[in-house]
Amino acid sequence: MPPPAAPRSGDAIFSSVERVNAELFTLTYGAIVRQLLTDLEEVEEVNKQLDQMGYNIGIRLIDEFLAKSNVSRCVDFKETAEMIAKVGFKMFLGITASVTNWDVDGTCCSLVLEDNPLVNFVELPDSCQGLHYCNILSGIIRGALEMVSMKTEVTWLRDMLRGDDVFELQLKFLKQVPEEYPYKDDE
Amino acid sequence: MSKMMKGATSSPSPSGMYDVSKTKLKHQTLLQDYQKPQMVSLSAFAFLFSELVQYNQTQVDNIAELERRLEDAGYAVGARVLELFCHREKGNRRETRLLGILSFVHSTVWKVLFGKVADSLEKGTEHEDEYMISEKELLVNRFISIPKDMGTFNCGAFVAGIVRGVLDGAGFPAVVTAHFVPVEGQQRPRTTILIKFAEEVLRREARLG
C-alpha cells in the first residue's frame, strides 16, 4: 500500500482549483438573502433558513475537503479548528482565519475573520439588525463537522456588519457522535 | 438587503457618530483592483448556487415559476453589477445605444463575472428586436443535470435575470430568456440567452439614427 499522501496546504489547494470572481459569489449570496427576507419576512426565520442551507452545503462540502486536502483524522479539537481556519476557509473562499480564545478544556474557541467575501457591498438596514448575514458559514461548519462525527455549536460573537472590527465565530465542541454503520460488512 | 454602496455616502450609526469600521469595509471593496479580482473557488459558488435552486424549488409548484424566481434573483445581481461596473470600469458613464449596451453585457459583464467574454453575440434573423448571447458551457449549467420530468428547465434563467437587470437599469427594458440549443456532435447543448427588447427601445434607437 502506498504511504498516505501528506496533507496539502490551503494555499496549494486554492491555487490548483478552478476559481470564479468573488463578486459573482457575493452578489449571488446577496440575492439569496434578499429572497429569504421577502419570503420569510421574519429576520429570525431567515437566520434559521441560512443556517439550514449552510448545513446542507456542509454535509456535501466535507467530501470535497477530505478528497482534496489529504487530511486524515484530526487528533483533537484544536487540530480540527486549525484545519478549518487554515485549510478549509482558504480552499473554498481564499481567506484564512485565526484561531483564538481557547477555553481550558480545549473544547471551545473562536475563529476570527478579517476578510469575508460574503459581505462585500453589504450594509445592514435598520430593519435587519437582528440578521446574522453570514449565518450560512456557521451552518456549513456545523454540517461538515457532523459528517466527521463531531457535534458542535457555532455562534457569531462579532460581526463587521454590526460595526465590530472583525468577524468572530465561536466554535463549541459538544460531543463525539458514535459512528453508525448503515450496513454490516461481515455478514 | 445587500445594498450597493454609493460613493462615499455613509449612514451615521445610531449614536450619530461616523461609523469607521463600516466605511473601511466599503472602501476596500470599491477600490478593489479590477485586474486582480478577489476570487473564490468554483465549488464554493456551485454549492451556493445549488442551494439557491433547491430552496426555490421548495417555493414553487411548476417549472415556469421556478425559472421566474431564479430570474428574479439574477435581476437583483444584474442591477448591482451595472452600477458597480459603470462606476469602476467606465468612469461612471453608461451606454445609451443599443449595440453599446449589448457589447457591455457580452464583454465587460461576462468578463468580470465569468472570467471570459461570451462566446457569441448575434442579432436575430427573423425579428428586428431580438438578440442572442450564446455560451457553450454556461457556468451555472456546468454542474446541473436536468431530470426528465423537469422538461425544459434551464438554470440559465439566473443569468438571463442578470442580463435583464443590467439592461433594465441602463434604460433598455427587455424580456430575457434562457434556452438550450443542441449542438451537433456534442453531448451537451449550449445555452442561448435570448433578448427581446421592448418596443420603446427600438423606437428610440431608430430616432437616434
Side-chain angles (χ1 to χ4, degrees):
Chain A
M1 218 172 94
R8 299 172 69 197
S9 78
D11 280 303
I13 305 169
F14 190 63
S15 59
S16 69
V17 296
E18 262 192 273
R19 278 156 292 170
V20 293
N21 187 307
E23 282 165 358
L24 175 67
F25 178 74
T26 303
L27 292 173
T28 302
Y29 185 64
I32 293 178
V33 176
R34 215 167 324 97
Q35 266 191 342
L36 295 181
L37 282 166
T38 316
D39 292 345
L40 306 171
E41 291 168 8
E42 294 291 326
V43 169
E44 220 15 75
E45 289 302 307
V46 176
N47 287 341
K48 261 191 227 154
Q49 180 65 31
L50 285 174
D51 180 75
Q52 180 60 43
M53 288 168 124
Y55 181 83
N56 298 343
I57 293 178
I59 59 180
R60 294 196 289 145
L61 169 142
I62 187 72
D63 284 339
E64 187 176 337
F65 175 82
L66 293 173
K68 289 192 175 154
S69 65
N70 297 336
V71 169
S72 51
R73 188 170 286 278
C74 291
V75 291
D76 55 11
F77 193 55
K78 283 201 167 164
E79 198 183 336
T80 308
E82 287 293 333
M83 279 298 163
I84 296 170
K86 299 290 172 325
V87 185
F89 274 113
K90 188 78 197 182
M91 76 182 266
F92 290 104
L93 297 180
I95 55 172
T96 43
S98 46
V99 188
T100 57
N101 297 342
W102 280 104
D103 67 348
V104 280
D105 325 330
T107 56
C108 181
C109 66
S110 283
L111 296 179
V112 175
L113 298 171
E114 288 180 27
D115 189 16
N116 179 353
L118 285 179
V119 302
N120 291 346
F121 314 128
V122 180
E123 219 177 87
L124 279 190
D126 289 340
S127 57
C128 294
Q129 290 305 313
L131 180 70
H132 286 294
Y133 188 83
C134 304
N135 229 18
I136 199 160
L137 285 183
S138 38
I140 291 175
I141 296 177
R142 188 169 62 84
L145 289 180
E146 205 166 301
M147 292 299 110
V148 288
S149 326
M150 292 181 190
K151 269 251 187 258
T152 50
E153 191 180 278
V154 189
T155 38
W156 291 97
L157 294 187
R158 283 190 281 171
D159 187 331
M160 279 170 99
L161 291 177
R162 298 175 175 199
D164 297 322
D165 48 358
V166 289
F167 286 93
E168 182 175 348
L169 263 172
Q170 189 182 59
L171 215 58
K172 195 184 272 172
F173 178 77
L174 299 180
K175 63 171 182 184
Q176 191 88 23
V177 199
E179 276 185 61
E180 284 173 28
Y181 293 99
Y183 51 86
K184 287 179 184 159
D185 269 341
D186 49 354
E187 276 184 14
Chain B
M1 242 345 294
S2 128
K3 205 166 29 160
M4 181 88 71
M5 68 247 144
K6 296 189 182 71
T9 54
S10 170
S11 51
S13 63
S15 61
M17 297 272 288
Y18 193 64
D19 195 328
V20 181
S21 66
K22 280 188 184 173
T23 319
K24 191 178 124 209
L25 197 67
K26 278 194 264 178
H27 280 225
Q28 271 173 0
T29 7
L30 246 199
L31 297 176
Q32 207 173 84
D33 185 353
Y34 158 56
Q35 297 301 326
K36 269 182 104 177
Q38 194 184 358
M39 305 295 267
V40 298
S41 78
L42 175 60
S43 33
F45 175 77
F47 279 129
L48 189 68
F49 186 72
S50 130
E51 280 305 310
L52 170 73
V53 177
Q54 290 181 64
Y55 164 74
N56 276 304
Q57 251 180 304
T58 65
Q59 302 291 304
V60 301
D61 45 25
N62 62 63
I63 303 299
E65 185 70 2
L66 177 57
E67 283 189 341
R68 194 193 58 74
R69 285 188 57 108
L70 284 183
E71 197 197 315
D72 275 357
Y75 184 92
V77 173
R80 286 160 180 80
V81 157
L82 174 74
E83 193 179 357
L84 175 64
F85 294 2
C86 280
H87 178 72
R88 189 168 57 195
E89 268 131 61
K90 299 183 71 72
N92 263 339
R93 296 169 66 86
R94 69 163 170 82
E95 300 289 342
T96 53
R97 298 303 299 266
L98 192 77
L99 283 181
I101 194 73
L102 279 172
S103 94
F104 174 75
V105 172
H106 160 270
S107 310
T108 313
V109 171
W110 236 260
K111 186 107 211 296
V112 180
L113 291 186
F114 305 121
K116 66 185 277 295
V117 169
D119 287 340
S120 75
L121 168 64
E122 290 163 76
K123 190 175 191 314
T125 45
E126 284 164 33
H127 303 277
E128 273 300 294
D129 56 353
E130 287 184 356
Y131 290 81
M132 287 161 295
I133 294 177
S134 286
E135 190 67 63
K136 209 170 96 201
E137 185 93 73
L138 195 68
L139 185 70
V140 295
N141 278 330
R142 262 180 69 179
F143 302 105
I144 307 274
S145 52
I146 311 288
K148 283 221 162 54
D149 60 335
M150 286 182 70
T152 59
F153 169 70
N154 193 328
C155 283
F158 180 71
V159 177
I162 296 181
V163 172
R164 189 167 71 87
V166 171
L167 292 176
D168 212 19
F172 294 83
V175 176
V176 187
T177 45
H179 308 272
F180 284 124
V181 179
V183 186
E184 228 176 287
Q186 295 254 337
Q187 216 177 18
R188 287 178 71 88
R190 67 188 169 133
T191 304
T192 293
I193 308 285
L194 180 67
I195 303 164
K196 194 175 174 61
F197 284 105
E199 239 182 275
E200 67 201 74
V201 174
L202 292 176
R203 271 206 304 275
R204 182 183 63 205
E205 191 62 20
R207 207 167 53 236
L208 289 170

